Amino acid sequence: MSLAINLSATPSEEESFLDFDNEDEENSDLPQPENQETTSSLRGANRFLAQTRGVMTCDKYPRVCRVKGSPGPDCCKKKCVNVMTDRLNCGMCGKKCKYPEICCKGQCVNPMSDKKNCGGCGNKCKKGSKCHYGMCSYA
């Protein structure tokens, strides 16, 4: 069995369909020059999509927060959060940690000076050492 390939420099009938010089500018996939006016309103399309796709918020559907990839299993103000680690909802919805504090296991702690959470949650300093500037036994 043999295979023959014919290469030529002249365009064939199939290649004439790929002639882009005669293409309408309106139907082009290439970006249009900035001096041409284009309409950026997608109002009708967005309204249609909004009607067909319902928004599932956790206040109506609490199971949404337990789905894989969710930010957390708890629902606070229509948002899925983890009250064990969220600074704005630490331990319970609406409980905010102060500026230098972080939320560790539902408690607001200062990682710069807390011996049990030095520099981050769960980082305990050894016995006899203190937490300074987020580091155990600094200086």
Side-chain angles (χ1 to χ4, degrees):
M1 186 151 99
S2 66
L3 177 67
I5 298 175
N6 185 8
L7 297 175
S8 68
T10 59
S12 66
E13 290 178 21
E14 293 175 347
E15 291 174 349
S16 65
F17 289 114
L18 300 175
D19 187 16
F20 294 112
D21 294 335
N22 297 329
E23 185 175 341
D24 293 335
E25 289 180 10
E26 295 173 6
N27 296 332
S28 174
D29 288 339
L30 300 174
Q32 296 180 358
E34 292 180 18
N35 60 0
Q36 292 181 354
E37 289 186 30
T38 58
T39 56
S40 62
S41 175
L42 298 174
R43 184 176 177 192
N46 286 339
R47 214 172 14 176
F48 173 74
L49 292 174
Q51 291 173 354
T52 59
R53 191 182 88 183
V55 178
M56 295 181 69
T57 55
C58 63
D59 61 330
K60 294 179 183 177
Y61 305 98
R63 295 173 119 189
V64 169
C65 294
R66 291 182 178 86
V67 174
K68 184 179 179 182
S70 172
D74 308 300
C75 181
C76 294
K77 295 184 180 180
K78 298 183 181 181
K79 292 184 180 180
C80 296
V81 296
N82 187 346
V83 295
M84 300 304 273
T85 58
D86 188 25
R87 290 186 66 232
L88 301 176
N89 302 288
C90 188
M92 61 190 213
C93 293
K95 183 182 175 190
K96 296 180 182 179
C97 295
K98 295 177 184 174
Y99 168 66
E101 297 178 332
I102 60 174
C103 185
C104 295
K105 296 183 182 177
Q107 299 282 325
C108 292
V109 297
N110 187 343
M112 301 300 261
S113 59
D114 190 325
K115 286 178 70 171
K116 294 179 182 176
N117 301 290
C118 190
C121 294
N123 189 20
K124 295 180 182 179
C125 292
K126 293 179 181 177
K127 194 172 186 176
S129 65
K130 293 183 179 180
C131 181
H132 294 289
Y133 304 108
M135 294 180 272
C136 295
S137 301
Y138 179 74

